[in-house]
Amino acid sequence: MADRGSIIAAIFVACALSTCARTRTVALSYGPPSNYSGLDCVEDATNRTPLVSRAVTNGAVTFVVDFFDVPANINATGEVLLRACGGGRCTPIARRRSTIEIRGADLGLGPNVSGPDVVRAVSRALATTPVTRNAPDGTVILRVVATTQPASELDALDGSGRYASFVPSKLVGCSITPPVDFDSTESPVFLSLPIFGDPCELAQVALCAGAR
Amino acid sequence: MKQPIARFAAVSALVAGCAQRPPSAPVSVAVYVSGDEALAARWPRTLTARLAPTIALRRAELAAPSASTTPATAAAIAAIARAAPLFASAEFAQCSHAFDAVSVDDVLAEGRRDLAARALLWSVACALADERPEDARRFADRLASLELEVPSVVTRPDVESLVSDALARAASRPRVSVSIRSVDGAALAIDGRAAACRAPCRVDLISGVHVVVARAERFEPRTQSVTVTDRPASLVIDLAPASASRASEQWAARGREGAPQDSSASMALLSIAASAPRVALVRSEREPRSTRLHAALVVDGTVASRAELRPAGAASDDDGAALLRELLIRGRVLEPARPVYLSPWFWIGIGAAAATGVGVTAWVFSRPIETTIVFDGR
């Protein structure tokens, strides 16, 4: 009788422990193709050197993932949000930043690499490590900034609980998601740089990254 | 501060209400088993433990039946036996005195009209021979008014003449209606005749002293004399409840007459005879391959329930317990097992289960969600 009770108790505890939290996975990808990916920007209209070449030159690139709280019922285009938050006016959620350093060799990028190839290479390299295992609750915007600054510079919080600003001269790219609740969304989430105009320039990447 | 005190008081009251009440004294039930001596000896003892603790069984001990004595009859026979030789030896005074101890009313109450007639006839003869003609006439008139059959014995002619005259006078007197009331259905025996009618009833009697005996089950019999004149009369005979001995006698008499032991009347007598307000009668009848058990329960003189069981082979203690349990439940002496929904613990359990269900549901739906975000590497 005692054995039977113990078995039932063990089953109950196992069930309870195994179902303490519901786990789910949301896929993140660059797109759609009609938008700028944020990795396909150039220095400016006259100097059309791709910013991604900075990664090739530097030999490594750091991808910095931040989350920004937004109201749950927000209904605004990414560009509007970008302008509203640009230049560091919005503060990323503290202690939710994750950084992923990837060597240039691992990206396999050459000097004349084109936009789609960059996106594919970056996506493949970033897929090896989860961005986070516990996305923030509620509606947020996820931003991925690619920079040649080392992760050690970017992970630290200053005395007021803020992260260090990105340096424009070291930016490689920047993209954001639309406002999304990762705990409830059922579809893949796309990253892009929602701007108008051609080409996509460093100034717009810097605006996205809140660089000063 | 008041609220916690009030809450404590409410909880205390609730707990006190839920507390078990102290057990009351068990209800005593006398058990009478017939048809199987072994079961009769064993069951009252062994079945108690198999029933609820609120029931205490005991063997029904019936009072010894009242002895059916007839002292008046005996006295009359003795007096007649003494009178005959006294009369023959002309000791007439002694002859008369021989009947001093004889009560003709009692002899009639015992149903011996023949003996009453002989005693009165001898009294007439002795008184007449002793030269007490008034007494002799009184005895003759009594003989005539009771309409006793005159014994066909050879007596003196003056005696026969006196008795003949008395009979003639009695025959010329009109009969008078006498209304008799007693316990409903009581058998009324008048002047030693077999029960003439059942109470209440009306009889026509010749004027004179008459003897009425009222008998009813569950009551003590009673003899009452009534003097009938030339006017209608009424007589009320109250009966006292039967003693245990009397009830035992009446119960045994019913058995001798072949009446069922478990009939309502018999069960009422059994209850009185056993001096127990609750008596269970179990009749065991062996059949070739089984036993038939009949049970009846009498409570306060009324049959409250009946039950029957037919176990294969000999009846076991379990059979007896099952039979008695059914009998006592039907008779409302034993509470049936309470339906579980009447128990407060059932509802407490339901409440706890519901609360647990709500809690588990709330917990399931309020579990934190951990979302992993990964780049799609394609």
mmCIF file of all heavy atoms in Angstrom, chain B residues 209-242:
data_model
loop_
_atom_site.group_PDB
_atom_site.id
_atom_site.type_symbol
_atom_site.label_atom_id
_atom_site.label_comp_id
_atom_site.label_asym_id
_atom_site.label_seq_id
_atom_site.Cartn_x
_atom_site.Cartn_y
_atom_site.Cartn_z
ATOM 1 N N VAL B 209 -79.210 -13.713 39.970
ATOM 2 C CA VAL B 209 -77.772 -13.401 39.967
ATOM 3 C C VAL B 209 -77.084 -14.240 38.890
ATOM 4 O O VAL B 209 -77.273 -15.468 38.865
ATOM 5 C CB VAL B 209 -77.156 -13.691 41.354
ATOM 6 C CG1 VAL B 209 -75.654 -13.426 41.324
ATOM 7 C CG2 VAL B 209 -77.833 -12.857 42.417
ATOM 8 N N HIS B 210 -76.315 -13.549 38.073
ATOM 9 C CA HIS B 210 -75.614 -14.255 36.994
ATOM 10 C C HIS B 210 -74.110 -13.944 37.079
ATOM 11 O O HIS B 210 -73.695 -12.951 37.683
ATOM 12 C CB HIS B 210 -76.177 -13.829 35.639
ATOM 13 C CG HIS B 210 -77.601 -14.253 35.445
ATOM 14 N ND1 HIS B 210 -77.968 -15.493 34.987
ATOM 15 C CD2 HIS B 210 -78.780 -13.598 35.700
ATOM 16 C CE1 HIS B 210 -79.279 -15.580 34.940
ATOM 17 N NE2 HIS B 210 -79.805 -14.437 35.376
ATOM 18 N N VAL B 211 -73.373 -14.806 36.465
ATOM 19 C CA VAL B 211 -71.902 -14.680 36.511
ATOM 20 C C VAL B 211 -71.382 -14.479 35.084
ATOM 21 O O VAL B 211 -71.677 -15.283 34.201
ATOM 22 C CB VAL B 211 -71.266 -15.946 37.124
ATOM 23 C CG1 VAL B 211 -69.746 -15.811 37.128
ATOM 24 C CG2 VAL B 211 -71.790 -16.167 38.521
ATOM 25 N N VAL B 212 -70.643 -13.376 34.908
ATOM 26 C CA VAL B 212 -70.071 -13.079 33.582
ATOM 27 C C VAL B 212 -68.536 -13.099 33.698
ATOM 28 O O VAL B 212 -67.980 -12.462 34.597
ATOM 29 C CB VAL B 212 -70.532 -11.699 33.057
ATOM 30 C CG1 VAL B 212 -69.943 -11.438 31.674
ATOM 31 C CG2 VAL B 212 -72.045 -11.623 33.028
ATOM 32 N N VAL B 213 -67.912 -13.835 32.805
ATOM 33 C CA VAL B 213 -66.438 -13.853 32.758
ATOM 34 C C VAL B 213 -66.009 -13.248 31.414
ATOM 35 O O VAL B 213 -66.474 -13.698 30.364
ATOM 36 C CB VAL B 213 -65.876 -15.289 32.878
ATOM 37 C CG1 VAL B 213 -64.351 -15.266 32.827
ATOM 38 C CG2 VAL B 213 -66.354 -15.931 34.166
ATOM 39 N N ALA B 214 -65.158 -12.218 31.517
ATOM 40 C CA ALA B 214 -64.636 -11.590 30.292
ATOM 41 C C ALA B 214 -63.173 -12.004 30.127
ATOM 42 O O ALA B 214 -62.375 -11.913 31.066
ATOM 43 C CB ALA B 214 -64.749 -10.074 30.380
ATOM 44 N N ARG B 215 -62.846 -12.479 28.914
ATOM 45 C CA ARG B 215 -61.463 -12.896 28.627
ATOM 46 C C ARG B 215 -61.013 -12.253 27.323
ATOM 47 O O ARG B 215 -61.746 -12.286 26.332
ATOM 48 C CB ARG B 215 -61.363 -14.419 28.489
ATOM 49 C CG ARG B 215 -61.559 -15.193 29.783
ATOM 50 C CD ARG B 215 -61.269 -16.685 29.564
ATOM 51 N NE ARG B 215 -61.479 -17.452 30.792
ATOM 52 C CZ ARG B 215 -62.641 -17.950 31.159
ATOM 53 N NH1 ARG B 215 -63.711 -17.766 30.398
ATOM 54 N NH2 ARG B 215 -62.748 -18.628 32.282
ATOM 55 N N ALA B 216 -59.832 -11.671 27.364
ATOM 56 C CA ALA B 216 -59.263 -11.086 26.136
ATOM 57 C C ALA B 216 -57.753 -11.244 26.190
ATOM 58 O O ALA B 216 -57.148 -11.180 27.270
ATOM 59 C CB ALA B 216 -59.629 -9.604 26.029
ATOM 60 N N GLU B 217 -57.176 -11.469 25.027
ATOM 61 C CA GLU B 217 -55.718 -11.589 24.976
ATOM 62 C C GLU B 217 -55.098 -10.253 25.372
ATOM 63 O O GLU B 217 -55.631 -9.189 25.048
ATOM 64 C CB GLU B 217 -55.276 -11.983 23.567
ATOM 65 C CG GLU B 217 -55.575 -13.443 23.266
ATOM 66 C CD GLU B 217 -55.013 -13.883 21.939
ATOM 67 O OE1 GLU B 217 -54.848 -13.014 21.070
ATOM 68 O OE2 GLU B 217 -54.761 -15.082 21.774
ATOM 69 N N ARG B 218 -53.990 -10.360 26.027
ATOM 70 C CA ARG B 218 -53.238 -9.209 26.543
ATOM 71 C C ARG B 218 -53.900 -8.570 27.759
ATOM 72 O O ARG B 218 -53.484 -7.496 28.192
ATOM 73 C CB ARG B 218 -53.010 -8.142 25.455
ATOM 74 C CG ARG B 218 -52.068 -8.638 24.351
ATOM 75 C CD ARG B 218 -51.782 -7.567 23.349
ATOM 76 N NE ARG B 218 -52.937 -7.277 22.548
ATOM 77 C CZ ARG B 218 -53.313 -6.070 22.192
ATOM 78 N NH1 ARG B 218 -52.628 -5.020 22.599
ATOM 79 N NH2 ARG B 218 -54.381 -5.882 21.431
ATOM 80 N N PHE B 219 -54.949 -9.241 28.300
ATOM 81 C CA PHE B 219 -55.602 -8.730 29.510
ATOM 82 C C PHE B 219 -55.815 -9.887 30.486
ATOM 83 O O PHE B 219 -55.908 -11.044 30.072
ATOM 84 C CB PHE B 219 -56.962 -8.091 29.168
ATOM 85 C CG PHE B 219 -56.819 -6.828 28.361
ATOM 86 C CD1 PHE B 219 -56.857 -6.868 26.979
ATOM 87 C CD2 PHE B 219 -56.616 -5.599 28.997
ATOM 88 C CE1 PHE B 219 -56.711 -5.713 26.230
ATOM 89 C CE2 PHE B 219 -56.465 -4.448 28.244
ATOM 90 C CZ PHE B 219 -56.511 -4.499 26.862
ATOM 91 N N GLU B 220 -55.893 -9.504 31.732
ATOM 92 C CA GLU B 220 -56.219 -10.502 32.752
ATOM 93 C C GLU B 220 -57.722 -10.783 32.657
ATOM 94 O O GLU B 220 -58.519 -9.855 32.492
ATOM 95 C CB GLU B 220 -55.893 -9.947 34.146
ATOM 96 C CG GLU B 220 -54.412 -9.775 34.414
ATOM 97 C CD GLU B 220 -53.706 -11.116 34.581
ATOM 98 O OE1 GLU B 220 -54.364 -12.087 34.970
ATOM 99 O OE2 GLU B 220 -52.492 -11.181 34.287
ATOM 100 N N PRO B 221 -58.149 -12.057 32.776
ATOM 101 C CA PRO B 221 -59.587 -12.343 32.773
ATOM 102 C C PRO B 221 -60.222 -11.800 34.043
ATOM 103 O O PRO B 221 -59.551 -11.610 35.068
ATOM 104 C CB PRO B 221 -59.641 -13.864 32.714
ATOM 105 C CG PRO B 221 -58.336 -14.323 33.242
ATOM 106 C CD PRO B 221 -57.335 -13.266 32.916
ATOM 107 N N ARG B 222 -61.518 -11.535 33.955
ATOM 108 C CA ARG B 222 -62.185 -11.001 35.136
ATOM 109 C C ARG B 222 -63.604 -11.590 35.213
ATOM 110 O O ARG B 222 -64.309 -11.677 34.206
ATOM 111 C CB ARG B 222 -62.266 -9.481 35.073
ATOM 112 C CG ARG B 222 -62.817 -8.879 36.347
ATOM 113 C CD ARG B 222 -62.698 -7.391 36.319
ATOM 114 N NE ARG B 222 -63.303 -6.795 37.497
ATOM 115 C CZ ARG B 222 -63.440 -5.507 37.680
ATOM 116 N NH1 ARG B 222 -62.989 -4.658 36.759
ATOM 117 N NH2 ARG B 222 -64.004 -5.026 38.775
ATOM 118 N N THR B 223 -63.980 -11.950 36.442
ATOM 119 C CA THR B 223 -65.316 -12.496 36.685
ATOM 120 C C THR B 223 -66.136 -11.439 37.416
ATOM 121 O O THR B 223 -65.638 -10.804 38.352
ATOM 122 C CB THR B 223 -65.224 -13.764 37.547
ATOM 123 O OG1 THR B 223 -64.389 -14.709 36.882
ATOM 124 C CG2 THR B 223 -66.608 -14.362 37.786
ATOM 125 N N GLN B 224 -67.348 -11.230 36.967
ATOM 126 C CA GLN B 224 -68.180 -10.232 37.624
ATOM 127 C C GLN B 224 -69.620 -10.766 37.710
ATOM 128 O O GLN B 224 -70.125 -11.373 36.748
ATOM 129 C CB GLN B 224 -68.156 -8.924 36.822
ATOM 130 C CG GLN B 224 -68.602 -7.743 37.655
ATOM 131 C CD GLN B 224 -68.028 -6.445 37.097
ATOM 132 O OE1 GLN B 224 -66.873 -6.399 36.667
ATOM 133 N NE2 GLN B 224 -68.841 -5.413 37.105
ATOM 134 N N SER B 225 -70.224 -10.569 38.865
ATOM 135 C CA SER B 225 -71.620 -10.993 39.050
ATOM 136 C C SER B 225 -72.544 -9.828 38.752
ATOM 137 O O SER B 225 -72.193 -8.664 38.995
ATOM 138 C CB SER B 225 -71.851 -11.441 40.496
ATOM 139 O OG SER B 225 -71.060 -12.561 40.768
ATOM 140 N N VAL B 226 -73.686 -10.152 38.231
ATOM 141 C CA VAL B 226 -74.666 -9.111 37.955
ATOM 142 C C VAL B 226 -76.042 -9.622 38.431
ATOM 143 O O VAL B 226 -76.414 -10.760 38.147
ATOM 144 C CB VAL B 226 -74.692 -8.726 36.459
ATOM 145 C CG1 VAL B 226 -74.944 -9.923 35.572
ATOM 146 C CG2 VAL B 226 -75.740 -7.644 36.208
ATOM 147 N N THR B 227 -76.703 -8.761 39.153
ATOM 148 C CA THR B 227 -78.047 -9.124 39.620
ATOM 149 C C THR B 227 -79.069 -8.524 38.655
ATOM 150 O O THR B 227 -79.156 -7.298 38.509
ATOM 151 C CB THR B 227 -78.292 -8.585 41.036
ATOM 152 O OG1 THR B 227 -77.279 -9.113 41.907
ATOM 153 C CG2 THR B 227 -79.675 -8.996 41.528
ATOM 154 N N VAL B 228 -79.781 -9.399 37.994
ATOM 155 C CA VAL B 228 -80.741 -8.954 36.981
ATOM 156 C C VAL B 228 -82.131 -8.883 37.619
ATOM 157 O O VAL B 228 -82.565 -9.836 38.286
ATOM 158 C CB VAL B 228 -80.754 -9.915 35.785
ATOM 159 C CG1 VAL B 228 -81.801 -9.482 34.758
ATOM 160 C CG2 VAL B 228 -79.378 -9.982 35.150
ATOM 161 N N THR B 229 -82.750 -7.735 37.485
ATOM 162 C CA THR B 229 -84.107 -7.556 37.998
ATOM 163 C C THR B 229 -85.067 -7.593 36.810
ATOM 164 O O THR B 229 -84.730 -8.169 35.775
ATOM 165 C CB THR B 229 -84.203 -6.221 38.759
ATOM 166 O OG1 THR B 229 -83.900 -5.167 37.851
ATOM 167 C CG2 THR B 229 -83.244 -6.189 39.943
ATOM 168 N N ASP B 230 -86.182 -6.956 36.947
ATOM 169 C CA ASP B 230 -87.139 -6.966 35.833
ATOM 170 C C ASP B 230 -86.916 -5.809 34.862
ATOM 171 O O ASP B 230 -87.721 -5.557 33.981
ATOM 172 C CB ASP B 230 -88.573 -6.939 36.371
ATOM 173 C CG ASP B 230 -88.792 -5.761 37.305
ATOM 174 O OD1 ASP B 230 -87.777 -5.074 37.606
ATOM 175 O OD2 ASP B 230 -89.935 -5.526 37.715
ATOM 176 N N ARG B 231 -85.809 -5.055 35.032
ATOM 177 C CA ARG B 231 -85.515 -3.947 34.131
ATOM 178 C C ARG B 231 -84.220 -4.211 33.366
ATOM 179 O O ARG B 231 -83.320 -4.856 33.892
ATOM 180 C CB ARG B 231 -85.356 -2.638 34.932
ATOM 181 C CG ARG B 231 -86.658 -2.169 35.520
ATOM 182 C CD ARG B 231 -86.472 -0.842 36.216
ATOM 183 N NE ARG B 231 -87.729 -0.307 36.683
ATOM 184 C CZ ARG B 231 -87.863 0.858 37.287
ATOM 185 N NH1 ARG B 231 -86.793 1.602 37.497
ATOM 186 N NH2 ARG B 231 -89.051 1.273 37.683
ATOM 187 N N PRO B 232 -84.145 -3.656 32.159
ATOM 188 C CA PRO B 232 -82.880 -3.833 31.403
ATOM 189 C C PRO B 232 -81.684 -3.309 32.200
ATOM 190 O O PRO B 232 -81.798 -2.292 32.896
ATOM 191 C CB PRO B 232 -83.104 -3.000 30.143
ATOM 192 C CG PRO B 232 -84.582 -2.934 29.991
ATOM 193 C CD PRO B 232 -85.142 -2.903 31.380
ATOM 194 N N ALA B 233 -80.595 -3.982 32.088
ATOM 195 C CA ALA B 233 -79.412 -3.609 32.876
ATOM 196 C C ALA B 233 -78.196 -3.504 31.950
ATOM 197 O O ALA B 233 -78.212 -3.988 30.815
ATOM 198 C CB ALA B 233 -79.164 -4.650 33.951
ATOM 199 N N SER B 234 -77.197 -2.825 32.469
ATOM 200 C CA SER B 234 -75.926 -2.758 31.724
ATOM 201 C C SER B 234 -74.788 -3.105 32.663
ATOM 202 O O SER B 234 -74.861 -2.819 33.872
ATOM 203 C CB SER B 234 -75.727 -1.368 31.111
ATOM 204 O OG SER B 234 -75.592 -0.417 32.128
ATOM 205 N N LEU B 235 -73.776 -3.687 32.102
ATOM 206 C CA LEU B 235 -72.638 -4.151 32.903
ATOM 207 C C LEU B 235 -71.346 -3.771 32.167
ATOM 208 O O LEU B 235 -71.207 -3.995 30.963
ATOM 209 C CB LEU B 235 -72.711 -5.660 33.070
ATOM 210 C CG LEU B 235 -71.557 -6.340 33.804
ATOM 211 C CD1 LEU B 235 -71.515 -5.897 35.267
ATOM 212 C CD2 LEU B 235 -71.710 -7.861 33.729
ATOM 213 N N VAL B 236 -70.459 -3.148 32.919
ATOM 214 C CA VAL B 236 -69.152 -2.797 32.348
ATOM 215 C C VAL B 236 -68.096 -3.594 33.103
ATOM 216 O O VAL B 236 -68.023 -3.526 34.326
ATOM 217 C CB VAL B 236 -68.867 -1.285 32.471
ATOM 218 C CG1 VAL B 236 -67.464 -0.971 31.934
ATOM 219 C CG2 VAL B 236 -69.915 -0.490 31.730
ATOM 220 N N ILE B 237 -67.293 -4.312 32.322
ATOM 221 C CA ILE B 237 -66.232 -5.116 32.952
ATOM 222 C C ILE B 237 -64.881 -4.588 32.453
ATOM 223 O O ILE B 237 -64.515 -4.765 31.280
ATOM 224 C CB ILE B 237 -66.372 -6.606 32.593
ATOM 225 C CG1 ILE B 237 -67.759 -7.105 32.960
ATOM 226 C CG2 ILE B 237 -65.300 -7.422 33.300
ATOM 227 C CD1 ILE B 237 -68.021 -8.544 32.541
ATOM 228 N N ASP B 238 -64.191 -3.914 33.336
ATOM 229 C CA ASP B 238 -62.851 -3.406 32.972
ATOM 230 C C ASP B 238 -61.823 -4.505 33.176
ATOM 231 O O ASP B 238 -61.860 -5.219 34.190
ATOM 232 C CB ASP B 238 -62.498 -2.190 33.840
ATOM 233 C CG ASP B 238 -63.397 -1.005 33.514
ATOM 234 O OD1 ASP B 238 -63.748 -0.838 32.331
ATOM 235 O OD2 ASP B 238 -63.769 -0.263 34.453
ATOM 236 N N LEU B 239 -60.903 -4.601 32.231
ATOM 237 C CA LEU B 239 -59.871 -5.633 32.335
ATOM 238 C C LEU B 239 -58.500 -4.989 32.553
ATOM 239 O O LEU B 239 -58.195 -3.963 31.961
ATOM 240 C CB LEU B 239 -59.830 -6.479 31.059
ATOM 241 C CG LEU B 239 -61.132 -7.190 30.675
ATOM 242 C CD1 LEU B 239 -60.889 -8.054 29.435
ATOM 243 C CD2 LEU B 239 -61.643 -8.040 31.825
ATOM 244 N N ALA B 240 -57.750 -5.623 33.395
ATOM 245 C CA ALA B 240 -56.388 -5.134 33.664
ATOM 246 C C ALA B 240 -55.440 -5.742 32.640
ATOM 247 O O ALA B 240 -55.667 -6.854 32.164
ATOM 248 C CB ALA B 240 -55.974 -5.538 35.069
ATOM 249 N N PRO B 241 -54.387 -4.994 32.274
ATOM 250 C CA PRO B 241 -53.401 -5.562 31.333
ATOM 251 C C PRO B 241 -52.837 -6.874 31.861
ATOM 252 O O PRO B 241 -52.656 -7.036 33.077
ATOM 253 C CB PRO B 241 -52.311 -4.488 31.256
ATOM 254 C CG PRO B 241 -52.989 -3.232 31.680
ATOM 255 C CD PRO B 241 -54.033 -3.631 32.682
ATOM 256 N N ALA B 242 -52.557 -7.747 30.945
ATOM 257 C CA ALA B 242 -52.067 -9.069 31.336
ATOM 258 C C ALA B 242 -50.676 -8.972 31.936
ATOM 259 O O ALA B 242 -49.849 -8.169 31.501
ATOM 260 C CB ALA B 242 -52.040 -9.982 30.114
#
